[in-house]
Amino acid sequence: MSWWELKVFLKHVPWDSATARAMRGSTPEEDYWNPDRQLAAAMVDAQRESTYVMVRLHGDPKKTKRLRPPEPIPRPGVKKRSNSRVIRFGGRHGSGAAELAKVFGGGHATNP
């Protein structure tokens, strides 16, 4: 094989081959989630959420009360949902003014 043939071979090697990964310096896990797979996962997530909304809106409220939104397909770059934005008021956690101040970035007001 000549140098020119080697250059052409390396230029046209399949993107998911071990040679291409070695040239890019990536791992098989990183290469698994190519843009096509990311788009397919996003479409599946959108369809699942659309189905969830339709069932919640048009289903029997007694049967759909405990229905939870679907979790997205786990993939790199997409964080798992968390309930970190839940603010509790009253009860054991106090009035909630301190939590609101943290969320909105300021001190809580006091009545004069």
Side-chain angles (χ1 to χ4, degrees):
M1 180 182 286
S2 70
W3 288 109
W4 182 79
E5 291 172 330
L6 178 64
K7 178 183 173 187
V8 169
F9 173 77
L10 291 176
K11 185 176 181 182
H12 297 287
V13 69
W15 70 270
D16 58 346
S17 68
T19 304
R21 271 197 310 273
M23 290 182 350
R24 282 192 306 271
S26 61
T27 64
E29 293 80 23
E30 292 171 342
D31 284 344
Y32 181 78
W33 286 101
N34 62 11
D36 294 337
R37 288 182 193 246
Q38 290 274 5
L39 181 60
M43 289 189 317
V44 168
D45 287 343
Q47 182 61 43
R48 289 173 65 203
E49 293 219 3
S50 176
T51 302
Y52 164 76
V53 169
M54 290 297 291
V55 169
R56 283 296 300 247
L57 288 176
H58 300 293
D60 182 14
K62 293 179 184 177
K63 293 180 182 177
T64 60
K65 184 168 63 170
R66 287 185 270 150
L67 192 63
R68 299 285 173 241
E71 290 292 324
I73 294 174
R75 54 192 182 269
V78 177
K79 294 181 181 178
K80 190 172 181 174
R81 282 190 207 147
S82 65
N83 291 336
S84 62
R85 292 186 282 170
V86 173
I87 301 173
R88 300 185 188 276
F89 295 99
R92 297 182 333 183
H93 303 287
S95 68
E99 283 120 16
L100 280 174
K102 283 190 275 186
V103 171
F104 293 108
H108 50 276
T110 58
N111 291 334

